Amino acid sequence: MDYKSIEVKDNYIVLKDAANFQLQHIFECGQCFRWNRVSENDFIGVAYGRVIELVKEENDVIIYNSDEKDFYNIWQEYFDLNRDYSKIKNNLSHDPLLKEAVDFGYGIRILKQEPFEIVNSFIISANNRIPLIKRAIENISKRWGTPLEYKAQTYYAFPTPDQLVAAEEQELEACGLGFRAKYVKDTVNKIYNSLQGVEGFEQYNIYDMARLGADGCHNALQLFSGIGPKVADCIMLFSMDKISAFPVDVWVKRAMMHFYLAPDVSLKKIRDFGRDKFGEEAGFAQQYLFYYARENNIQIGD
Ligand code: 8HG
């Protein structure tokens, strides 16, 4: 467990002695799109139909706009607080090359995000850049999501399947999705039908996929159009607790080549290489590498 205790206050919670918890590392390491920086130690985000503000004060983390019930029902798991990241970092740091990336992103934690939001967010992420991904998701939330008030401002939850099923392909396109609009439209339909119990759609229940093993989950996600191996790995890792997933995008590929001289081969080969090398904790290794490579803008040959 990576905190000592919680203090329950009036509309906020204090996490005492939060270890391995740096807001910038968590929210800017590429895993999430709905968090915005107020300052280095202050971020506001929307998740699970709530807007919360996190402030780091010395070793404590304050969760504003929350109560004890939400903490135990949502945030404890969302922030992966029951996991001991010192142990993971220690294991990964036996490799002196990976240690450099771990030391750089020492406060990263993998968030356990809402599957419907993450499936659609990572379909939108394909061949896209993070600022544009964030804007598209924000547009979708504004158009179909539930409004939430905080400090006299309006935020919007990511829409539920019931809400998003009303979206037309052209409307999604207009949110900045481009060619991905048809994939989101098709995926939302399939998920909606599976949740309604429509015959023939059983295999699209994303809330039931985590019980499959890592390979089963990887295959099941690729039944949706717009989800290939990389996007499936991101979804598994960020919303289905599959910590051995090793998503390889261009940054992870560059990092692997930079550190390990993994030959310049297919993403699939690098995925196999990474899973083989880092084993059960490959997902964490991937996140330290992604953050390190992107923040340092590493290029092949560096
Ligand atoms: O956290 C991420 N890991 C990996 N491997 N890829 C990611 C993450 N986040 C993220 O947006 N991507 C992908 O990288 C999506 C997009 O193709 C590109 C943006 O830099």
Side-chain angles (χ1 to χ4, degrees):
M1 188 163 109
D2 269 359
Y3 69 104
K4 201 174 83 196
S5 57
I6 63 165
E7 282 175 10
V8 180
K9 307 281 188 180
D10 189 20
N11 203 37
Y12 66 92
I13 297 282
V14 184
L15 271 183
K16 302 299 290 179
D17 285 338
N20 307 304
F21 201 124
Q22 282 298 325
L23 305 189
Q24 202 179 337
H25 296 173
I26 295 171
F27 300 130
E28 294 181 354
C29 74
Q31 63 180 324
C32 55
F33 304 107
R34 306 272 350 257
W35 283 89
N36 289 309
R37 179 190 178 118
V38 178
S39 65
E40 190 184 341
N41 287 310
D42 184 347
F43 281 72
I44 297 182
V46 182
Y48 287 100
R50 310 222 182 348
V51 47
I52 57 173
E53 180 169 11
L54 256 63
V55 174
K56 177 114 196 250
E57 274 183 12
E58 299 190 353
N59 292 329
D60 299 342
V61 173
I62 306 168
I63 309 179
Y64 287 101
N65 206 26
S66 184
D67 57 19
E68 187 175 13
K69 193 163 150 265
D70 276 4
F71 177 77
Y72 287 115
N73 287 342
I74 305 173
W75 308 124
Q76 180 168 245
E77 206 182 340
Y78 179 80
F79 289 109
D80 204 15
L81 288 168
N82 291 331
R83 201 184 300 278
D84 177 359
Y85 277 72
S86 300
K87 205 169 118 198
I88 290 167
K89 295 194 306 186
N90 223 350
N91 289 345
L92 296 177
S93 296
H94 289 147
D95 175 341
L97 297 174
L98 191 54
K99 183 173 188 307
E100 202 179 323
V102 171
D103 288 345
F104 181 77
Y106 61 90
I108 286 178
R109 313 185 69 77
I110 301 275
L111 300 173
K112 174 106 183 279
Q113 303 179 73
E114 207 287 313
F116 183 69
E117 172 173 345
I118 290 305
V119 164
N120 289 294
S121 297
F122 278 92
I123 290 177
I124 295 169
S125 84
N127 293 315
N128 209 345
R129 294 188 303 114
I130 289 177
L132 299 180
I133 304 167
K134 284 181 78 167
R135 197 180 310 155
I137 295 169
E138 191 62 33
N139 288 340
I140 289 182
S141 303
K142 269 197 182 129
R143 176 76 175 73
W144 292 282
T146 302
L148 309 164
E149 301 294 325
Y150 177 61
K151 283 188 177 171
Q153 273 216 50
T154 308
Y155 297 81
Y156 296 87
F158 190 84
T160 61
D162 290 30
Q163 290 171 323
L164 200 52
V165 80
E168 301 291 347
E169 187 181 327
Q170 291 83 343
E171 294 176 305
L172 289 165
E173 232 178 275
C175 288
L177 272 65
F179 69 90
R180 305 165 200 89
K182 62 175 174 300
Y183 300 139
V184 167
K185 175 74 195 151
D186 189 61
T187 296
V188 172
N189 270 338
K190 285 175 170 152
I191 295 172
Y192 180 82
N193 283 335
S194 83
L195 296 175
Q196 294 292 314
V198 177
E199 217 184 300
F201 287 86
E202 297 79 8
Q203 68 274 37
Y204 300 116
N205 187 344
I206 53 171
Y207 297 101
D208 203 32
M209 281 179 191
R211 73 181 166 77
L212 305 171
D215 290 336
C217 205
H218 199 239
N219 291 334
L221 282 165
Q222 290 179 71
L223 296 175
F224 293 104
S225 46
I227 302 187
K230 196 281 277 308
V231 167
D233 273 323
C234 285
I235 295 167
M236 286 161 60
L237 179 60
F238 302 137
S239 72
M240 295 177 179
D241 232 351
K242 297 288 183 246
I243 59 173
S244 68
F246 194 79
V248 182
D249 72 305
V250 64
W251 291 112
V252 171
K253 177 178 172 175
R254 284 179 193 167
M256 292 298 281
M257 289 172 67
H258 173 79
F259 284 126
Y260 299 107
L261 295 173
D264 186 6
V265 291
S266 66
L267 300 185
K268 159 97 173 74
K269 285 250 169 64
I270 296 177
R271 178 179 192 262
D272 294 343
F273 182 93
R275 292 185 80 199
D276 209 45
K277 184 158 187 63
F278 306 123
E280 280 309 303
E281 291 172 345
F284 300 103
Q286 176 277 149
Q287 212 60 37
Y288 294 110
L289 291 170
F290 182 86
Y291 184 59
Y292 180 92
R294 199 164 162 264
E295 292 293 311
N296 295 294
N297 193 20
I298 65 166
Q299 306 292 332
I300 307 304
D302 279 8

